[in-house]
Amino acid sequence: MPLENELLDVHNLQTYLFTSGGIVRAVDKVGLKIHEGEKVGLVGESGCGKSMTARSILRLVPSPPAKILDGEIRFKGLNLVTLTEKEFQKIRGVEIAMVFQDPMSYLNPTMRIGDQIGEAIWLHHGKDRLEEEMDRTLILVGLQPESGIKKRYPHELSGGMRQRVLLAIALSCRPRLLIADEPTTALDVTIQAQILALLDDLAARLDMALLLISHDLGIVAELCDRVYVMYAGQIVEEAAALTLFENPAHPYTQGLLKGVLSIDEYKPTLETIQGTVPDLSALPEGCRFRPRCDKAMAICLQEPPMFSNIHGQAVRCWLYSQEVQHTGGDWKEARLDER
């Protein structure tokens, strides 16, 4: 997409948690871009910093212990980090909205559904045409106002209906960017498919950009135009979705894809990535993926890798560094004892 259509530009974002056990580098110099109408995936294992990245964009990090230390979050060219909380309230929920993974944790159990959807509309647009806008939003997410849903409470709804209600709240002000954080995690497979189809349809109908956060590569492959892969608080690979799934470059991305079932390929056993995700308060030296990587080299212990560009595919890995490729065998000797 052309640069003039750029909607969100996150640059060098650092969000750390200052705890009694040490400094947790949850989001460490993260950069990502989203263009108007684009659907972007952010994938990685649990605990890699995906949700904290999303919360940082909306300035919803728990403070204390979390704090945005550095970086820029530019939305339509405006640096959101520099705004006061009062100024940011004109962005959060209006221009950028978020859907969370567990509706029962974010819906008020003591409030009727109509009141919760109406509250968002009233807060940002006043009481004029409140009922009309509420009904339009319910219909938009596949819920019928005449069914009496506005008078019901969250516990009276199914999981899929609750997720649609969260979507209605998020879409009540017709945001330009919707962040969906694991929106199908607590749902069964058939309902997952319905919610994903709804997100795809809404993005097209509302000309809305989507940031989909997930650990499910199948969901991301189905829905997204571009994908960022995150590991241990950092982005390690970025590419067009088709490119990433057909030709993953980073050893971590390759490992994730080897563990995915496919109807096109028989796998008697699924491969797994050895080891565990590192403690973000005690990160390994050099490359953060080095202790789990079967392609590790001596330099991987000595220095953290920078991004290399391979035909438009950005990869944070020494395997693709011009310096390493031109120095020969000494660099290519894996020092497994040092991992």
Side-chain angles (χ1 to χ4, degrees):
M1 293 187 179
L3 291 177
E4 58 266 29
N5 289 339
E6 191 172 277
L7 183 67
L8 181 76
D9 182 5
V10 177
H11 176 68
N12 199 43
L13 180 63
Q14 291 179 272
T15 303
Y16 290 2
L17 285 78
F18 296 87
T19 71
S20 58
I23 300 174
V24 178
R25 297 170 182 170
V27 180
D28 200 9
K29 298 182 180 179
V30 163
L32 59 86
K33 295 185 179 185
I34 303 175
H35 297 84
E36 292 274 4
E38 188 180 28
K39 291 171 289 189
V40 174
L42 179 59
V43 301
E45 294 168 282
S46 297
C48 71
K50 304 185 303 295
S51 294
M52 189 60 73
T53 299
R55 289 177 175 275
S56 298
I57 292 171
L58 280 171
R59 283 176 34 179
L60 291 175
V61 296
S63 179
K67 184 177 181 181
I68 298 175
L69 293 180
D70 196 10
E72 294 183 347
I73 304 170
R74 291 195 173 274
F75 181 74
K76 295 181 178 179
L78 180 66
N79 188 3
L80 304 184
V81 174
T82 63
L83 299 183
T84 65
E85 180 58 27
K86 185 175 181 180
E87 290 171 332
F88 197 84
Q89 287 175 3
K90 297 176 182 178
I91 303 290
R92 187 193 299 123
V94 182
E95 297 275 2
I96 309 175
M98 187 167 177
V99 177
F100 300 91
Q101 61 180 293
D102 182 8
M104 285 304 286
S105 297
Y106 292 95
L107 291 173
N108 189 327
T110 67
M111 287 179 65
R112 298 181 190 273
I113 296 303
D115 293 334
Q116 298 194 53
I117 299 173
E119 183 178 48
I121 298 171
W122 175 76
L123 178 65
H124 296 293
H125 295 298
K127 294 183 178 180
D128 294 342
R129 301 174 61 191
L130 178 60
E131 287 295 326
E132 180 182 345
E133 285 299 319
M134 195 189 312
D135 289 352
R136 285 180 59 196
T137 304
L138 283 168
I139 293 170
L140 193 64
V141 299
L143 298 172
Q144 300 304 315
E146 61 272 15
S147 67
I149 189 170
K150 289 185 286 186
K151 294 183 179 180
R152 297 167 73 180
Y153 291 92
H155 72 271
E156 298 179 286
L157 306 180
S158 67
M161 292 177 73
R162 287 195 290 262
Q163 193 61 273
R164 289 174 187 265
V165 168
L166 270 188
L167 261 175
I169 294 171
L171 297 175
S172 60
C173 295
R174 307 298 188 266
R176 303 308 308 138
L177 171 63
L178 178 67
I179 301 174
D181 186 6
E182 304 275 10
T184 61
T185 296
L187 306 176
D188 63 49
V189 176
T190 55
I191 304 301
Q192 280 186 24
Q194 292 176 17
I195 296 297
L196 291 173
L198 178 61
L199 282 171
D200 195 24
D201 178 61
L202 289 170
R205 288 169 60 187
L206 300 177
D207 191 25
M208 174 181 67
L210 176 68
L211 175 60
L212 177 65
I213 297 170
S214 181
H215 63 271
D216 190 324
L217 293 169
I219 288 175
V220 172
E222 182 73 22
L223 203 62
C224 295
D225 305 310
R226 274 190 313 115
V227 182
Y228 288 90
V229 181
M230 195 167 190
Y231 183 79
Q234 294 184 328
I235 301 296
V236 295
E237 186 166 0
E238 181 265 323
L242 184 62
T243 301
L244 185 113
F245 287 101
E246 287 192 347
N247 187 33
H250 197 282
Y252 176 61
T253 311
Q254 294 169 358
L256 288 178
L257 288 172
K258 286 177 182 177
V260 176
L261 286 170
S262 171
I263 60 173
D264 300 319
E265 180 185 359
Y266 172 70
K267 295 181 180 180
T269 59
L270 290 179
E271 297 183 41
T272 59
I273 302 173
Q274 63 178 330
T276 58
V277 179
D279 183 345
L280 294 181
S281 64
L283 291 164
E285 294 293 327
C287 174
R288 296 182 182 186
F289 187 60
R290 171 183 51 79
R292 306 175 70 187
C293 184
D294 58 5
K295 299 176 182 177
M297 303 174 289
I299 193 174
C300 301
L301 175 68
Q302 299 163 7
E303 298 180 48
M306 304 300 288
F307 274 108
S308 298
N309 288 306
I310 313 162
H311 308 299
Q313 194 167 350
V315 189
R316 188 191 293 269
C317 181
W318 280 117
L319 286 171
Y320 305 96
S321 166
Q322 296 272 339
E323 179 184 2
V324 171
Q325 291 177 4
H326 289 164
T327 49
D330 290 343
W331 291 98
K332 296 182 180 294
E333 293 178 2
R335 301 281 296 280
L336 297 181
D337 57 314
E338 293 182 315
R339 292 196 282 150

